[in-house]
């Protein structure tokens, strides 16, 4: 849709007419009104330079130009003054009506969404969050002008290094995100995408200490409302790693349109993790392959010498051992289960894909997964996990219930007897608590405690992102009011409380600084979950809940 | 639908933005970042490599990335048979050219499923002065009529 802005300058063609009459005594001709300047069409296609990637790295020797799709494109006259704004077409096309015989500028912004207020932007965090913009001056004449132009990569083949402006990088990132948006819009044409700022620069790198303004960042990640991507040459560049970009956009999708209770923090292949982390990472990785339509996922690093990580050789492959978790917590090998992001990558992919192989007769496509993620899973009373997702998926797709169970069984996840919270027959994640009661044991009758069997709570892992770093509790509230939870650790430790709230989601993890550890919150009628963790391991605690007089709300 | 209307003022909020990341290399890196480094000064610091999971092998390589000389510590170092939580140390000595420099750390590891993983990150030495900060900012920046700050990049004609 085009939007017209007031033109701040005018082009005038002044026509001088000779005075009429010859010979003395003639009547002078009336002056003529100057004809308005005619407009001409300025159009063309805009592209960016892209490269194929593989396990050998980025193929800089063989660039290809691809259309810049869906980006904000503007007619400026002069540069900086917006005359008209639109979006490029799916083939990178643009077309404007511009004054004839004038100098205008075609401006393509690394932004997606509404032309006058795009919600996705690729910005330079080392330059005051400036929006990356491609410019092409055009001189119009009196007939239509066609100008095709390209965002170059800045790569010099002769010196095998970057010597020019890396203009294509922001648009390579943008195109992957555009593909993600198309993918989701195919499931919901009315979807409204929330704001997303993608931070990228030629100095962005993973640094042990952060300084965003100089490009020292947290490493490739999404943290609401920003996505961080690396761009430091010959260290780590993300712009052409479409699976990496799509994965991070998958986190944005879950966070802003669906729900994720992922505590975040460092994690690695083979970790036994918080169920919400496994769900969030599993879904994001699977979504990366859905968006790129590529069962392999590669992360490139350097060009001298070339280096790349094959994150997934083939998402269809079963990467884990189908072995149950050892209840005595002695088996720390890599295992399948609800706590494994590798397992959930495979589950989510197999629910989606149209291939049929042994154990996988499900081909749901993305629409049912989208509906669950943005409805039931989003509003669950439990902490998000594969249990909450599958519970609502089976309500959405009851005819596929048995086939869904088969996919999960192949990853050591049993749904027999499971609900949106857990499968108590396999692993009791939640301890029920009742108002006025004090609990000292978990659902297995063992003393309540947190565990560091699969990794201790650290600052790097957000205070605990491994299985049982946090203990989950479930409480049913009959009367709206203020509820105070008291937990008494046997060791000197500050406890972190994380309750679920309205519309789902963890509402502010808060650290108690009192002794005993106290947390108060208002609860409406219904079922709620709360997680309690400690910043030290093997902490035993007693836990009780007391109710303040209703309907008084917490101060 | 449930609603949390208000949280008790007794509590302190400690978590704001949570970063969800790709799986990292199964190795974390820590180092003692020296303070008040002068250009030309020789500075030695320890770099700790921490295994986040059981790892048969870690290979560590350090190189000068920008703004400094790597005087020592640039040899490739291999650590083997690390268990989760194990750490090893190397020492690097640098000399800053000016105010800010980086050592590039390349980490290659093989996990218990024989998969190779790589990670690249930077160790910062020094801090940027106003000249460095100014140079980092593009000179080709304008504010357009909508109030948006734009970093301008010239296109190539096809």
């Amino acid at each position: 849709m085009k939007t017209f802005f007031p033109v701040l300058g005018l082009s005038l063609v002044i026509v001088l007419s000779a005075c009429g009459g010859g010979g003395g005594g003639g009547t002078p001709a009336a002056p003529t009104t100057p004809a308005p300047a005619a407009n001409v069409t300025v159009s063309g296609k805009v592209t960016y330079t892209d490269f194929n990637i593989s396990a050998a790295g980025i193929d800089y020797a063989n660039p290809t130009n691809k259309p810049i799709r869906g980006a904000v494109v503007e007619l400026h006259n002069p540069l900086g003054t917006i005359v008209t704004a639109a979006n490029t077409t799916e083939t990178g096309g643009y077309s404007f009506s511009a004054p004839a015989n004038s100098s205008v500028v075609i401006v393509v912004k690394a932004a997606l969404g509404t032309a006058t207020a795009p919600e996705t932007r690729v910005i330079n965090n080392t330059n005051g969050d400036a929006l990356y913009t491609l410019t092409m001056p055009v001189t119009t004449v009196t007939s239509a002008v066609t100008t095709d132009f390209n965002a170059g990569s800045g790569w010099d083949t002769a010196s095998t290094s970057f010597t020019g402006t890396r203009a294509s990088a922001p648009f390579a990132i943008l195109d992957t995100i555009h593909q993600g948006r198309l993918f989701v819009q195919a499931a919901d044409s009315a979807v409204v995408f929330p704001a997303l700022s993608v931070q990228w620069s030629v100095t962005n790198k993973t640094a042990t200490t952060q300084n965003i303004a100089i490009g020292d960042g947290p490493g490739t990640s999404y943290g609401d409302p920003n996505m961080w991507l690396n761009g430091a040459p010959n260290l780590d560049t993300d712009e052409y790693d479409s699976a990496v970009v799509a994965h991070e956009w998958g986190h944005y999708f879950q966070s802003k349109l669906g729900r994720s209770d992922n505590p975040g923090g460092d994690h690695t292949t083979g970790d036994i993790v918080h169920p919400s982390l496994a769900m969030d990472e599993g879904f994001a990785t699977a979504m990366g392959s859905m968006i790129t339509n590529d069962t392999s996922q590669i992360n490139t690093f350097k060009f001298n010498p070339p280096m790349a990580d094959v994150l997934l050789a083939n998402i269809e492959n079963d990467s884990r051992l189908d072995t149950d978790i050892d209840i005595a917590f002695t088996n720390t090998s890599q295992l399948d289960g609800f706590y494994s992001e590798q397992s959930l990558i495979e589950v989510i992919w197999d629910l989606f894909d149209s291939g049929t192989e042994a154990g996988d007769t499900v081909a749901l496509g993305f629409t049912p997964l989208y509906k669950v993620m943005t409805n039931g899973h989003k509003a669950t009373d439990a902490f998000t996990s594969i249990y909450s997702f599958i519970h609502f998926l089976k309500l959405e797709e009851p005819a596929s219930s048995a086939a869904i169970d088969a996919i999960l069984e192949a990853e050591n996840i049993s749904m027999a007897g499971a609900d949106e919270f857990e499968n108590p027959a396999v692993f009791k994640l939640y301890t029920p608590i009742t108002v006025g009661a004090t609990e000292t044991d978990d659902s297995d009758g063992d003393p309540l405690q947190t565990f560091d069997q699969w990794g201790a709570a650290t600052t790097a892992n957000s205070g605990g992102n491994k299985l049982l770093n946090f203990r989950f509790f479930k409480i049913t509230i009959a009367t709206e009011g203020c509820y105070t939870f008291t937990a008494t650790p046997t060791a000197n430790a500050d406890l972190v409380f994380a309750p679920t709230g309205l519309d789902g989601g963890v509402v502010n993890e808060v650290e108690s600084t009192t002794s005993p550890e106290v947390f108060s919150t208002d609860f409406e009628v219904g079922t709620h979950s709360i997680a309690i963790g400690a910043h030290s391991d093997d902490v035993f605690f007693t836990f009780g809940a007391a109710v303040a007089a209703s309907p008084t709300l917490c101060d | 639908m449930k609603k949390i209307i208000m949280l008790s003022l007794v509590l302190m909020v400690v978590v704001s933005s949570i970063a969800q990341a790709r799986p990292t290399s199964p190795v974390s890196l820590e180092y003692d970042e020296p303070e008040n480094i002068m250009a030309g000064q020789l500075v030695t610091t320890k770099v700790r490599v921490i295994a986040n999971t059981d790892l048969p092998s870690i290979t560590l390589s350090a190189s000068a990335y920008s703004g400094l000389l790597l005087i020592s510590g640039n040899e490739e170092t291999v650590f083997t048979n690390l268990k989760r939580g194990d750490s090893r140390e190397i020492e690097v000595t640098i000399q800053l050219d000016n105010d800010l420099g980086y050592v590039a750390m390349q980490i290659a590891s093989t996990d218990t499923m024989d998969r190779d993983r790589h990670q690249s990150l930077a160790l910062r030495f020094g801090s940027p002065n106003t000249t460095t900060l100014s140079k980092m900012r593009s000179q080709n920046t304008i504010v357009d009529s909508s109030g948006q700050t734009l970093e301008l990049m010239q296109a190539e004609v096809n």
Side-chain angles (χ1 to χ4, degrees):
Chain A
M1 183 192 300
K2 294 186 179 180
T3 304
F4 290 85
F5 289 84
V7 175
L8 299 184
L10 292 174
S11 294
L12 295 177
V13 176
I14 299 174
V15 176
L16 296 178
S17 307
C19 295
T27 304
T32 57
T33 304
N39 273 13
V40 296
T41 298
V42 177
S43 65
K45 291 193 191 304
V46 58
T47 55
Y48 71 97
T49 299
D50 196 19
F51 302 96
N52 288 328
I53 65 171
S54 70
I58 300 174
D59 185 10
Y60 284 114
N62 293 291
T64 57
N65 287 355
K66 294 183 178 176
I68 296 178
R69 305 179 291 163
V72 173
V73 57
E74 298 168 343
L75 176 72
H76 285 213
N77 186 13
L79 176 63
T81 300
I82 303 169
V83 176
T84 309
N87 296 90
T88 57
T89 68
E90 284 301 294
T91 55
Y94 71 92
S95 179
F96 293 117
S97 176
N101 299 313
S102 64
S103 296
V104 297
V105 184
I106 306 301
V107 170
V108 184
K109 293 179 172 177
L112 295 170
T114 309
T116 53
E119 61 270 10
T120 294
R121 302 174 315 128
V122 184
I123 60 175
N124 187 346
N125 48 280
T126 68
N127 186 24
D129 290 348
L131 176 64
Y132 287 105
T133 303
L134 191 69
T135 62
M136 172 52 67
V138 174
T139 300
T140 62
V141 288
T142 55
S143 57
V145 176
T146 300
T147 302
D148 297 336
F149 54 98
N150 184 64
S153 68
W155 180 259
D156 176 59
T157 303
S159 64
T160 60
S161 65
F162 288 110
T163 59
T165 301
R166 291 165 60 184
S168 66
F171 294 100
I173 295 165
L174 201 76
D175 196 65
T176 299
I177 294 174
H178 176 70
Q179 190 62 34
R181 290 163 62 105
L182 290 178
F183 182 75
V184 172
Q185 285 168 331
D188 179 4
S189 60
V191 63
V192 176
F193 292 106
L196 171 65
S197 291
V198 182
Q199 297 168 311
W200 179 89
S201 82
V202 299
T203 60
N204 276 17
K205 52 194 156 323
T206 306
T208 47
T209 52
Q210 293 183 32
N211 185 336
I212 302 299
I214 61 173
D216 294 350
T220 311
S221 59
Y222 170 75
D224 186 16
N226 299 319
M227 181 191 300
W228 177 277
L229 296 176
N230 286 336
N234 215 31
L235 189 65
D236 187 7
T237 55
D238 289 334
E239 58 264 26
Y240 302 113
D241 301 340
S242 54
V244 171
V245 177
H247 172 98
E248 299 307 332
W249 195 82
H251 282 307
Y252 153 84
F253 165 77
Q254 292 181 83
S255 174
K256 303 301 283 188
L257 292 170
R259 171 163 155 209
S260 172
D261 298 334
N262 182 359
D266 286 350
H267 57 100
T268 191
T269 305
D271 280 352
I272 306 297
V273 298
H274 189 296
S276 298
L277 187 154
M279 180 65 208
D280 186 47
E281 291 292 345
F283 194 97
T285 302
M287 196 170 181
S289 278
M290 296 177 201
I291 291 170
T292 59
N293 194 29
D294 190 348
T295 57
S296 69
Q297 297 191 10
I298 294 171
N299 183 23
T300 63
F301 289 95
K302 297 175 56 179
F303 53 78
N304 186 18
M307 185 170 79
D309 247 8
V310 177
L311 300 168
L312 281 176
N314 188 333
I315 199 172
E316 293 280 7
N317 292 344
D318 185 7
S319 64
R320 321 299 295 154
L321 300 172
D322 296 321
T323 308
D324 199 356
I325 187 171
D326 186 332
I327 201 67
F329 308 143
T330 58
N331 188 347
T332 58
S333 300
Q334 299 155 359
L335 302 167
D336 292 335
F338 65 88
Y339 38 75
S340 163
E341 64 180 281
Q342 277 69 38
S343 286
L344 300 197
I345 291 169
E346 294 167 36
V347 165
I348 302 297
W349 177 258
D350 281 343
L351 293 171
F352 161 80
D353 76 343
S354 57
T356 53
E357 62 263 359
D360 176 14
T361 57
V362 177
L364 297 178
F366 183 66
T367 300
L369 309 185
Y370 173 84
K371 288 180 180 177
V372 169
M373 177 57 71
T374 58
N375 290 282
H377 181 78
K378 181 175 182 176
T380 182
D381 295 324
F383 290 103
T384 56
S385 72
I386 191 62
Y387 291 120
S388 56
F389 190 80
I390 297 299
H391 172 80
F392 290 101
L393 181 63
K394 291 166 80 171
L395 292 176
E396 178 73 24
E397 297 283 333
S400 299
S401 187
I404 292 170
D405 284 346
I407 288 176
L408 289 155
E409 287 287 349
E411 290 299 319
N412 192 39
I413 303 170
S414 170
M415 293 302 292
D419 58 16
E420 63 191 292
F421 291 86
E422 60 188 349
N423 186 341
V426 173
F427 199 103
K428 297 183 179 70
L429 282 168
Y430 288 79
T431 299
I433 57 174
T434 53
V435 174
T438 298
E439 304 294 337
T440 56
D441 295 341
D442 64 18
S443 297
D444 289 316
D446 298 316
L448 270 170
Q449 70 172 100
T450 58
F451 290 92
D452 70 344
Q453 182 75 17
W454 298 287
T458 67
T459 303
N461 65 22
S462 299
N465 64 5
K466 305 302 185 288
L467 181 65
L468 301 184
N469 281 165
F470 277 83
R471 299 306 302 267
F472 295 166
F473 299 87
K474 184 166 44 172
I475 184 167
T476 299
I477 300 297
T479 305
E480 178 178 345
C482 181
Y483 291 84
T484 300
F485 299 86
T486 305
T488 306
T490 55
N492 184 23
D494 289 327
L495 300 183
V496 179
F497 296 83
T500 56
L502 178 68
D503 297 330
V506 173
V507 180
N508 283 348
E509 290 186 1
V510 291
E511 181 172 332
S512 171
T513 58
T514 62
S515 178
E517 312 297 316
V518 172
F519 169 72
S520 296
T521 187
D522 294 309
F523 276 143
E524 290 186 345
V525 173
T527 303
H528 300 268
S529 300
I530 182 170
I532 301 179
H535 289 167
S536 57
D537 58 347
D538 292 334
V539 173
F540 287 81
F541 53 83
T542 58
F543 181 83
V547 60
S550 172
T552 303
L553 300 178
C554 296
D555 293 333
Chain B
M1 298 283 207
K2 317 299 181 290
K3 189 174 192 112
I4 295 215
I5 301 167
M6 194 185 309
L7 294 178
S8 170
L9 294 177
V10 170
L11 306 171
M12 292 167 54
V13 175
V14 295
V15 175
S16 53
S17 175
I18 300 171
Q20 290 119 13
R22 291 205 61 73
T24 57
S25 168
V27 172
S28 296
L29 220 60
E30 296 175 353
Y31 77 119
D32 300 323
E33 186 175 356
E35 296 180 351
N36 303 319
I37 309 173
M38 307 295 290
Q41 175 188 358
L42 290 179
V43 176
T44 299
T45 190
K46 294 188 192 310
V47 180
R48 282 178 297 283
V49 176
I50 303 158
N52 295 328
T53 189
D54 296 348
L55 290 171
S57 166
I58 296 175
T59 302
L60 200 63
S61 305
S63 60
Y65 184 70
S66 67
L68 52 74
L69 288 175
L70 184 62
I71 307 297
S72 71
N74 55 355
E75 57 277 1
E76 190 175 270
T77 307
V78 180
F79 302 115
T80 58
N81 297 321
L82 280 81
K83 298 297 180 188
R84 180 202 300 270
D86 285 352
S87 65
R88 299 287 185 272
E89 273 186 2
I90 65 168
E91 221 171 58
V92 297
T93 301
I94 62 98
Q95 183 179 53
L96 277 181
D97 295 338
N98 204 323
D99 56 328
L100 178 68
Y102 293 92
V103 169
M105 300 298 297
Q106 310 288 347
I107 307 166
S109 60
T110 303
D111 66 20
T112 54
M113 292 192 69
D114 275 332
R115 283 184 297 201
D116 295 329
R117 284 287 181 261
H118 299 91
Q119 186 179 7
S120 290
L121 53 77
L123 307 182
R124 184 175 68 239
F125 293 88
S127 57
N129 57 28
T130 51
T131 303
T132 298
L133 286 172
S134 174
K135 285 181 183 174
M136 291 188 74
R137 290 183 166 245
S138 169
Q139 302 306 308
N140 214 6
T141 303
I142 67 168
V143 178
D144 71 12
S145 54
S146 72
Q148 173 74 63
T149 302
L150 309 180
E151 177 166 322
L152 306 179
M153 304 181 294
Q154 180 65 47
E156 308 167 336
V157 178
N158 283 346

